């Protein structure tokens, strides 16, 4: 993550955040050490894709998508179970169009790749990182590694296709939308209208993946539109158009008849006392833990020390005002509070990990965006606001590397890769092979063996039951063209 200008030459640190009395070239080993740690974390995360297998909703939607068609199945679910038309449509298309058993790892990688591309485009549109070179790629990789290592449970969003379509896909589209809104304004009215219309359609798509993150997108657009109008930004009409589109798209999802059906499954939903208690309890528990995460704190410090110009980019003069910083920070805080309140109101229970995975991405995005705004606000100071020494940099790098590799999801994944993941994957392949064999023999009913291992990094509360009428069993049986499938022995319910 070298601190370079457009020409690739070393540039002095910004005045706001500076490393005192140190030649930037002396930080070379620290930079490479941190880069190696980020690469190692991403390599571990990528390896887990190879051992992942489809579960539950994946099979059920694959069968329904093939029998009913993607559009009819999505429409039916909108009226009977969930209004997340974009997520369910994407899920029905992917699961019914490809061989789940043999192509599942490749299908899983679609959403993370989309997230990485969206994040890189957002950094580019915001002017974060050097205009040329590898710095922006390094920042993108570092952010993805931080996110994966610290998310509540990657198994519910990264290694489960249905969960990924509900969270990562929609958030990626939201990042693409913000990247489009942050680009320089169009030079002609006609082009501006075309851009505004395209971004408005993208906004409707983004809200269609999940009502919770659709609500958060509305809040972010309110903050962005407010800032644009106060600054008399020429893009303010586009921000406003996208805000209106987001509100309409959110209502389409939230007011879906299927949401009322699903909400009836939660007896504590809609109770004010329960909502307030869960909002405060979960919000304090999660946000405090995220703020005090040693990986995040050391990563932030290293960005300031190793690549301070990355925050202001190649256009440090494009910094904001104190008012802009306040609007961004307030929007971030309101979005987080609204997320916990809305989630608690909707189900009356603790938010599931797949929702928290998405919320953690919102937290990280807000954290670093406030940091970028502060860096640009103080970029013109004659005296540095913060200082650091070479020793401080080396200590921070050592702690960051150790924390990234030995804590959180990285360590659990390493344990899984050394034992449970290969055993689990082989058992799943044997299970699918046995079901295909049963179908080829003309059998209608099949019995499968319990799994000998369940990796911590994957979703753990789905498994076939002894009851062949259970919905998980029903989805697997119909996907493989059988009448029933049941688990032999005792139920392996890890719930």
């Amino acid at each position: 993550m070298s601190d370079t200008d457009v020409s690739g030459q070393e540039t002095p640190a910004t005045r706001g955040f500076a490393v005192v009395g140190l030649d930037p070239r002396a930080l070379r080993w620290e930079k490479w050490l941190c880069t190696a740690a980020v690469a190692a974390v991403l390599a571990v995360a990528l390896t887990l894709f190879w051992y992942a297998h489809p579960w539950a909703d994946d099979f059920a939607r694959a069968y329904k998508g093939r029998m009913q068609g993607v559009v009819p199945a999505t429409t039916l679910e909108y009226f009977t179970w969930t209004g997340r038309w974009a997520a369910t449509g994407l899920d029905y298309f992917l699961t019914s169009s490809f061989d789940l058993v043999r192509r599942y790892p490749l299908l899983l990688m679609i959403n993370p790749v989309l997230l990485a591309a969206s994040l890189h485009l957002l950094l580019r549109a915001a002017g974060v990182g050097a205009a040329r070179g590898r710095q922006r790629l390094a920042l993108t990789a570092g952010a993805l590694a931080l996110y994966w290592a610290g998310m509540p449970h990657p198994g519910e969003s990264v290694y489960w296709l249905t969960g990924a379509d509900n969270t990562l896909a929609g958030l990626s589209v939201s990042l693409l939308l913000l990247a489009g809104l942050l680009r320089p304004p169009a030079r002609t009215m006609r082009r501006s209208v075309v851009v505004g219309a395209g971004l408005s359609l993208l906004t409707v798509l983004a809200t269609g993946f999940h009502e919770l993150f659709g609500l958060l997108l509305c809040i972010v657009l309110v903050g962005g539109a407010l800032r644009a109008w106060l600054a008399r930004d020429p893009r303010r009409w586009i921000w406003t158009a996208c805000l209106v589109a987001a509100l309409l798209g959110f209502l389409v999802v939230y007011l879906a008849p299927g949401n009322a059906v699903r909400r009836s499954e939660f007896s504590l939903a809609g109770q004010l006392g329960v909502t307030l208690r869960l909002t405060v309890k979960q919000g304090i528990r999660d946000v405090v833990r995220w703020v005090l995460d040693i990986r995040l704190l050391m990563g932030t410090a290293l960005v300031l020390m190793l690549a301070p110009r990355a925050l202001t980019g190649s256009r440090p003069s494009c910094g904001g005002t104190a008012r802009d910083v306040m609007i961004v920070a307030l929007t971030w805080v309101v979005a987080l509070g609204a997320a916990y309140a809305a989630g608690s109101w909707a189900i009356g229970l603790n938010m599931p990990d797949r929702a928290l995975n998405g919320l953690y991405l919102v937290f990280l995005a807000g954290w670093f965006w406030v940091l970028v705004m502060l860096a640009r606000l103080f970029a013109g100071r004659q005296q540095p606001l913060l200082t650091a020494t070479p020793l401080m940099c080396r200590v921070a790098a050592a702690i960051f590397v150790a924390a990234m590799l030995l804590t959180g999801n990285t360590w659990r994944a390493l344990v899984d890769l050394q034992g449970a993941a290969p055993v689990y994957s082989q058992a799943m392949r044997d299970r699918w092979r046995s079901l295909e064999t049963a179908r080829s023999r003309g059998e209608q009913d099949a019995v499968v063996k319990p799994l000998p291992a369940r990796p911590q990094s994957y979703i753990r509360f789905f498994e076939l039951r002894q009851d062949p009428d259970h919905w998980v069993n029903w989805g697997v049986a119909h996907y493989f063209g059988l009448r029933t499938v049941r688990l032999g022995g005792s139920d392996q319910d890890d719930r």
Side-chain angles (χ1 to χ4, degrees):
M1 295 185 296
S2 61
D3 192 19
T4 60
D5 62 9
V6 176
S7 65
Q9 301 298 318
E10 297 288 349
T11 59
T14 59
R15 290 291 184 181
F17 302 101
V19 177
V20 174
L22 182 65
D23 183 349
R25 290 173 295 183
L27 301 174
R28 183 181 306 166
W29 288 108
E30 286 79 0
K31 294 176 183 178
W32 280 109
L33 184 64
C34 294
T35 301
V38 166
V41 170
L42 294 179
V44 171
L46 289 172
T47 304
L48 282 173
F49 283 110
W50 175 254
Y51 298 107
H53 289 267
W55 271 117
D57 301 68
D58 297 331
F59 286 117
R61 285 181 170 170
Y63 172 73
K64 292 179 181 178
R66 290 175 179 176
M67 295 296 102
Q68 301 172 4
V70 173
V71 174
T74 302
T75 303
L76 178 63
E77 192 152 335
Y78 180 85
F79 286 97
T80 60
W81 186 246
T82 177
R84 303 167 189 172
W85 59 271
T88 53
L90 176 62
D91 206 35
Y92 275 121
F93 170 73
L94 292 177
T95 55
S96 63
S97 300
F98 300 93
D99 187 338
L100 274 183
V101 173
R102 294 173 176 80
R103 298 291 181 263
Y104 199 66
L106 295 178
L107 295 176
L108 286 177
M109 294 183 68
I110 293 175
N111 287 305
V113 169
L114 177 61
L115 177 62
S118 302
L119 178 58
H120 187 269
L121 290 175
L122 178 61
L123 294 179
R124 180 179 179 181
V128 176
R132 298 177 184 175
R134 297 167 293 182
Q135 189 180 76
R136 194 171 290 133
L137 288 174
L139 291 173
T140 301
L144 292 173
L146 271 175
Y147 176 52
W148 181 85
M151 68 167 52
H153 198 298
E156 293 201 23
S157 295
V158 180
Y159 304 113
W160 181 37
L161 186 59
T162 300
D165 290 341
N166 276 275
T167 53
L168 296 185
L171 288 170
S172 299
V173 175
S174 296
L175 293 181
L176 280 176
L177 170 65
L178 294 176
L181 288 169
L182 291 175
R183 291 183 61 82
R187 296 182 179 181
T188 64
M189 177 61 69
R190 181 178 180 179
R191 184 174 179 83
S192 180
V193 171
V194 172
V195 170
L199 291 178
S200 296
L201 291 176
L202 191 63
T203 304
V204 173
L205 176 63
T207 58
F209 283 92
H210 200 295
E211 61 273 18
L212 176 61
F213 301 116
L215 173 63
L216 300 192
L217 180 59
C218 291
I219 294 174
V220 170
L221 291 174
V222 167
L226 175 62
R227 183 265 168 198
W229 279 96
L230 291 176
R232 300 192 64 82
D233 191 304
R235 297 165 294 185
R236 60 187 181 275
W237 288 106
I238 296 181
W239 278 91
T240 304
C242 289
L243 173 59
V244 173
L247 292 172
L248 293 176
F250 169 73
L251 290 176
V252 168
V253 175
Y254 184 74
L255 298 178
N259 281 345
V261 176
R262 192 174 77 253
R263 196 178 300 116
S264 65
E265 301 285 329
F266 301 96
S267 60
L268 297 179
Q271 297 188 17
L272 182 59
V274 174
T275 299
L276 293 176
R277 177 176 57 84
L278 288 176
T279 300
V280 174
K281 177 183 176 182
Q282 293 182 97
I284 294 177
R285 178 198 65 193
D286 294 334
V287 174
V288 169
R289 181 170 67 244
W290 294 343
V291 169
L292 298 180
D293 182 7
I294 192 65
R295 295 177 296 263
L296 176 61
L297 295 177
M298 292 300 102
T300 303
L302 287 169
V303 169
L304 296 174
M305 290 187 286
L306 294 179
R309 190 175 174 82
L311 301 177
T312 57
S314 58
R315 304 188 305 272
S317 60
C318 294
T321 64
R323 183 182 63 193
D324 295 336
V325 176
M326 289 298 298
I327 291 176
V328 170
L330 184 61
T331 300
W332 177 44
V333 173
V334 170
L336 290 175
Y340 282 102
S344 301
W345 175 268
I347 62 176
L349 301 169
N350 288 328
M351 294 174 65
D353 284 340
R354 52 187 173 275
L356 290 177
N357 289 339
L359 189 54
Y360 182 57
L361 180 60
V362 175
F363 168 81
L364 287 180
W367 173 280
F368 283 107
W369 192 246
V370 171
L371 183 67
V372 167
M373 297 297 291
L374 288 172
R376 294 181 177 184
L377 178 64
F378 294 115
R381 288 174 57 94
Q382 295 300 318
Q383 297 297 326
L385 183 64
L386 300 175
T387 60
T389 64
L391 178 60
M392 292 172 59
C393 182
R394 295 187 180 101
V395 171
I399 296 175
F400 175 77
V401 171
M404 289 293 287
L405 297 179
L406 302 178
T407 65
N409 294 321
T410 311
W411 182 253
R412 282 190 290 271
L414 288 171
V415 173
D416 285 338
L417 290 174
Q418 291 177 354
V423 174
Y424 161 82
S425 183
Q426 184 59 52
M428 292 295 279
R429 291 192 183 96
D430 293 341
R431 174 179 291 185
W432 308 144
R433 193 177 299 111
S434 70
L435 295 178
E436 291 173 340
T437 301
R439 180 184 58 190
S440 65
R441 292 175 178 173
E443 300 175 7
Q444 293 295 309
D445 306 293
V447 180
V448 298
K449 298 178 181 179
L451 295 172
R454 297 296 297 271
Q456 300 179 72
S457 301
Y458 299 146
I459 194 167
R460 293 172 58 86
F461 52 76
F462 285 140
E463 171 58 314
L464 297 176
R465 312 297 175 90
Q466 287 186 318
D467 177 12
D469 294 326
H470 191 271
W471 73 273
V472 174
N473 297 52
W474 181 94
V476 173
H478 283 75
Y479 179 83
F480 284 96
L482 302 171
R483 182 173 58 192
T484 64
V485 171
R486 68 178 180 86
L487 187 70
S490 59
D491 280 346
Q492 299 296 307
D493 187 1
D494 292 319
R495 189 182 300 272

